[in-house]
Amino acid sequence: MSLKDPPYEPPSVSELQDFLLADRRPTGHVNEVWPNVYIGNEVAARDKGSLHSLGITHVVNAAHGPSTPPPKCCFHVNTGPRFYRDMNVDYYGVEADDATEFILSPFFYPTARYLRAALAAGGKSFTVASGILPHMRC
């Protein structure tokens, strides 16, 4: 975190309790995991109508890049800034391979700074993740 980061006020404890204890159910391809922070899969990332209706202003693609054909298969969600050019969306791509040996931790702080800036600016963030998160080494 630097002095240039915009000020961000996290939700109060009571706001978080209300949010986390609300009767919430998974909504399918996209879920709100924190106030104004959503996570979803490739289907949700490509559904511009849903992203627009949610008011998404920032997209983090944790599976950025084109998919790699066999024998070195790596699944990526090939969207990118051009995909969202007809929307008022800021894009941040993380080229993370869907492989158990891929080390994801170098991307944590830069992505957290991006998300913090998005929230501080009053934005809503959507993060797309393929199957990478459950088995990544950090």
Side-chain angles (χ1 to χ4, degrees), residues 45-132:
R46 293 184 171 283
D47 187 347
K48 294 179 189 179
S50 290
L51 296 177
H52 178 74
S53 68
L54 289 170
I56 299 299
T57 58
H58 295 73
V59 172
V60 174
N61 185 346
H64 174 79
S67 294
T68 307
K72 189 184 175 187
C73 290
C74 287
F75 179 76
H76 295 277
V77 178
N78 191 11
T79 55
R82 287 188 62 193
F83 180 80
Y84 299 106
R85 70 180 173 263
D86 58 339
M87 298 177 67
N88 189 20
V89 167
D90 191 69
Y91 180 87
Y92 184 80
V94 175
E95 291 193 30
D97 290 342
D98 188 8
T100 55
E101 65 275 0
F102 187 82
I103 299 172
L104 190 59
S105 58
F107 300 100
F108 289 170
Y109 284 113
T111 304
R113 282 191 295 273
Y114 177 82
L115 289 171
R116 182 173 191 252
L119 293 172
K124 286 188 175 184
S125 175
F126 171 77
T127 300
V128 57
S130 70
I132 62 172

Side-chain angles (χ1 to χ4, degrees), residues 10-30:
S12 69
V13 172
S14 64
E15 290 172 325
L16 282 176
Q17 285 178 329
D18 290 344
F19 178 78
L20 295 172
L21 297 176
D23 184 22
R24 298 178 34 216
R25 293 178 182 82
T27 58
H29 297 287
V30 61

